[in-house]
Amino acid sequence: MPTHTRIRMFNTKATYPNQALDNDLCQAVRAGNTVYVRGQVGTDFEGRLVGLGDPRAQAEQAMKNVKQLLEEAGSDLSHIVKTTTYITDPRFREPVYREVGNWLKGVFPISTGLVVAGLAQPEWLMEIDVIAVIPDDEEGNA
């Protein structure tokens, strides 16, 4: 039996056509009852950027992605235990954190927030990665 499941595998040649990359990655990994979600940005799974210049709209799309990936892994937003949020400008903190907070109301995860010089694409204003669990009574359902 495999020790983990890779969800939405891809190659960076498709994700970053403007860069000379050729790495095999995935959007999420389920290992036992833990789900690790790759950093999500304001790009949908078809590669379209949502919210050019709008950090709140990018956070909304990133959280839609997180929700979908967690569900594909057999978990959901209520089982998030840790978030790490990256923003490219300290002024983005309020709109991004407000949007993420709307999605995680009542969840109470631990959280780390960072202001960074830039993300992998210049139009990305924020990125969030999460770690979630699958409760013992739901492990067989995925």
Side-chain angles (χ1 to χ4, degrees):
M1 179 170 184
T3 60
H4 57 279
T5 303
R6 299 181 194 286
I7 297 164
R8 290 188 177 256
M9 293 179 283
F10 67 97
N11 186 283
T12 53
K13 287 188 287 190
T15 307
Y16 306 103
N18 58 329
Q19 300 173 4
L21 298 174
D22 184 10
N23 298 320
D24 293 327
L25 301 173
C26 62
Q27 294 289 347
V29 172
R30 177 180 171 170
N33 72 336
T34 304
V35 181
Y36 303 90
V37 177
R38 176 181 192 263
Q40 297 298 305
V41 296
T43 302
D44 66 20
F45 291 126
E46 286 74 46
R48 295 180 298 251
L49 177 66
V50 175
L52 180 64
D54 184 344
R56 190 220 50 85
Q58 290 189 21
E60 179 182 30
Q61 181 60 50
M63 290 306 295
K64 286 179 183 177
N65 295 349
V66 167
K67 180 180 187 298
Q68 183 172 340
L69 290 166
L70 288 176
E71 289 171 355
E72 289 178 19
S75 188
D76 63 48
L77 294 173
S78 71
H79 300 306
I80 291 175
V81 296
K82 182 176 189 332
T83 67
T84 305
T85 305
Y86 309 86
I87 54 176
T88 58
D89 186 312
R91 295 172 291 187
F92 298 161
R93 186 174 190 273
E94 192 170 321
V96 168
Y97 280 53
R98 185 177 293 125
E99 183 64 34
V100 171
N102 288 338
W103 288 80
L104 300 181
K105 194 73 174 162
V107 176
F108 302 98
I110 58 173
S111 176
T112 299
L114 302 162
V115 179
V116 297
L119 296 168
Q121 297 290 345
E123 63 273 9
W124 294 348
L125 306 177
M126 63 77 57
E127 185 167 345
I128 185 168
D129 64 66
V130 306
I131 300 171
V133 296
I134 301 168
D136 290 339
D137 60 347
E138 297 178 26
E139 280 188 44
N141 295 336

